[in-house]
Amino acid sequence: MARARSEERRAGILRATLEVIAERGYRGATLGAVAERVGLTQQGLLHYFPTKEALLVAVLEDRDRWDTGGGGAGSGGGGEGEEKAWRLELLGSLVEYNAMRPVIVQTFSALLGESVTEDHPAREFFTRRYTQVRAGMAATLRAEYGDTLPGGLSPERAAVLLVAVMDGLQYQWLLDPEAVDMPGAFGDFLGLLKGPSGGPEAP
Amino acid sequence: MARARSEERRAGILRATLEVIAERGYRGATLGAVAERVGLTQQGLLHYFPTKEALLVAVLEDRDRWDTGGGGAGSGGGGEGEEKAWRLELLGSLVEYNAMRPVIVQTFSALLGESVTEDHPAREFFTRRYTQVRAGMAATLRAEYGDTLPGGLSPERAAVLLVAVMDGLQYQWLLDPEAVDMPGAFGDFLGLLKGPSGGPEAP
DNA sequence: ATTATCTATAGATCTATAGATAATGC
DNA sequence: ATTATCTATAGATCTATAGATAATGC
């Protein structure tokens, strides 16, 4: 029973960590804030995760697991642990889904931003992750469209843009949700990728 | 003369601040690190800028000035103080230029990421800035293409994507410069916007 | 025994204020 | 006088370690 309780506790801690990171980033997050949110002292929290960095790593691993079937905000939406098959249509609904999970999107957008700084503990995670996501998306696109998408790009070149658009839209949307229709804009981009044939004003 | 010296000092301090933020983000940056870089004590630094936040604000204002003719990394490249006229072609060279200024790109990418967190002193700056940049770009696109771009999008909808692609590519590029050809990818996107007529494999 | 939490605390930092000292400009 | 810097330091935090105490599981 203690084992089960323990797992619940850990899950609660990770959720709280996610929230605190969304609000303050990793560097700005404090063990005290996370502990308070789960009703523990800061030292009590360290019983479950020995260091602050261990807490971040656990959050990232958690996301990796989830993502291989959920779509991680910052990382371009869908993790591709094993080159998961995203069809273009599904990507659209993933973005719609993300638009309903601002906390997670914010957590990963904040982490992505921090991760480009020196010695950031999430840097390697994101670097590796993006490599995977780009490769997975390219493979999917190739399977669906062959070596040239309707818009004229190779799957590899389209994949970089796909990920870039997802991330970039998230920042604009987080900063000004009223002004930016994230799913709509992403749909526009898919239209461009699918080329003239799929375009709304196709001749 | 003291006035002139003072201005040089301030400029040096702002450059140092930019570098330190690139390395550690704003929250991770310390007055001590900036001071050391310009050969002052932390307290000596505070003689020029009374608080840490004042230092950040000065960096942002500086960028705003510069940008209204230079292109601010994170903010989608070119600031549009007064709806500066960027033609699509010029945007391409702006991205090429950014690819040669990794420090500035990193500073603004780190700040953009942090800015989505609560109470971040750069949040309003970025929100306002993006609104301006989107509007400026849309106006430029409209002047150049009318109400519908070759790719089929309205200038407004294309503008969001343009900014998103610039920002998103910066993160992927910063994390893995070898793997991501930022200017090349941006060129691909411009090709999509310009539609079939401009596409490499146009029929 | 092991697990879960707590109190106490060491050891680092960090920002910002106070006040002294030297140099510069009028 | 004003400007530029420095030393000293207050006051907050923060992470992490040490060690006690209570509860749980075998």
Side-chain angles (χ1 to χ4, degrees):
Chain A
M1 228 63 354
R3 188 51 50 81
R5 276 252 174 274
S6 184
E7 282 312 308
E8 279 173 43
R9 252 278 115 110
R10 294 174 95 87
I13 290 171
L14 291 184
R15 202 173 330 135
T17 304
L18 199 81
E19 289 170 12
V20 173
I21 293 178
E23 290 167 14
R24 322 267 311 164
Y26 171 69
R27 288 209 166 99
T30 68
L31 295 175
V34 175
E36 188 183 29
R37 201 161 302 215
V38 292
L40 274 176
T41 61
Q42 174 247 322
Q43 297 90 333
L45 174 64
L46 286 174
H47 172 67
Y48 293 91
F49 298 91
T51 66
K52 185 181 171 182
E53 189 169 331
L55 207 45
L56 173 64
V57 170
V59 166
L60 295 176
E61 283 173 351
D62 208 38
R63 188 50 30 187
D64 243 351
R65 230 170 295 135
W66 236 106
D67 266 1
T68 311
S75 56
E80 321 290 289
E82 288 90 18
E83 315 223 334
K84 195 120 187 295
W86 286 111
R87 286 175 314 138
L88 275 194
E89 277 70 28
L90 284 188
L91 276 183
S93 23
L94 171 62
V95 173
E96 276 171 31
Y97 181 50
N98 281 340
M100 293 166 57
R101 302 189 301 171
V103 173
I104 287 187
V105 172
Q106 189 163 318
T107 301
F108 280 79
S109 295
L111 284 176
L112 173 60
E114 279 185 316
S115 78
V116 305
T117 61
E118 282 171 20
D119 304 317
H120 193 282
R123 173 151 198 160
E124 223 186 286
F125 170 85
F126 278 111
T127 305
R128 206 188 306 272
R129 164 68 88 101
Y130 276 99
T131 301
Q132 288 173 352
V133 171
R134 282 190 299 260
M137 262 183 200
T140 302
L141 290 172
R142 173 162 280 112
E144 199 169 351
Y145 294 98
D147 287 338
T148 305
L149 303 217
L153 296 181
S154 74
E156 281 74 20
R157 299 181 79 110
V160 195
L161 291 180
L162 219 23
V163 176
V165 169
M166 292 182 97
D167 287 339
L169 284 178
Q170 284 172 354
Y171 287 105
Q172 291 184 67
W173 174 69
L174 286 170
L175 288 174
D176 200 344
E178 311 290 302
V180 176
D181 171 13
M182 180 165 75
F186 188 68
D188 287 345
F189 178 68
L190 291 182
L192 288 178
L193 274 187
K194 287 194 235 165
S197 35
E201 246 112 340
Chain B
M1 225 76 336
R3 188 51 49 82
R5 276 252 174 276
S6 184
E7 282 311 308
E8 279 173 43
R9 254 274 118 112
R10 293 174 96 86
I13 290 171
L14 292 183
R15 201 172 330 135
T17 304
L18 198 82
E19 290 170 12
V20 172
I21 292 178
E23 290 167 16
R24 322 266 314 163
Y26 171 68
R27 288 210 166 98
T30 68
L31 295 175
V34 175
E36 188 183 29
R37 201 162 301 214
V38 291
L40 274 176
T41 61
Q42 175 246 325
Q43 297 89 333
L45 174 65
L46 286 175
H47 173 66
Y48 292 91
F49 298 91
T51 66
K52 185 181 171 184
E53 189 168 331
L55 207 45
L56 173 64
V57 169
V59 166
L60 295 176
E61 283 173 349
D62 208 38
R63 188 51 29 189
D64 244 350
R65 230 169 295 133
W66 237 107
D67 266 2
T68 311
S75 57
E80 324 288 290
E82 287 88 20
E83 314 223 334
K84 198 127 186 289
W86 286 111
R87 286 178 311 138
L88 276 193
E89 276 69 30
L90 284 187
L91 276 184
S93 23
L94 170 63
V95 173
E96 275 170 32
Y97 181 50
N98 280 340
M100 295 166 54
R101 302 190 302 173
V103 173
I104 287 187
V105 172
Q106 189 162 319
T107 300
F108 280 79
S109 294
L111 283 177
L112 174 61
E114 280 186 314
S115 77
V116 305
T117 61
E118 282 171 18
D119 303 317
H120 193 282
R123 173 151 197 161
E124 223 185 286
F125 170 85
F126 278 112
T127 305
R128 206 188 306 272
R129 164 69 87 101
Y130 276 99
T131 301
Q132 288 174 351
V133 171
R134 281 190 300 259
M137 261 184 201
T140 303
L141 290 172
R142 173 162 279 113
E144 199 169 351
Y145 294 99
D147 288 337
T148 306
L149 303 217
L153 296 181
S154 72
E156 281 73 21
R157 300 180 78 108
V160 195
L161 292 180
L162 218 24
V163 176
V165 169
M166 291 183 96
D167 287 339
L169 285 178
Q170 285 172 354
Y171 288 105
Q172 291 185 66
W173 174 69
L174 287 170
L175 287 174
D176 200 344
E178 312 289 303
V180 176
D181 172 13
M182 180 165 73
F186 189 68
D188 287 346
F189 178 68
L190 290 183
L192 289 177
L193 273 187
K194 286 194 238 169
S197 36
E201 247 114 339

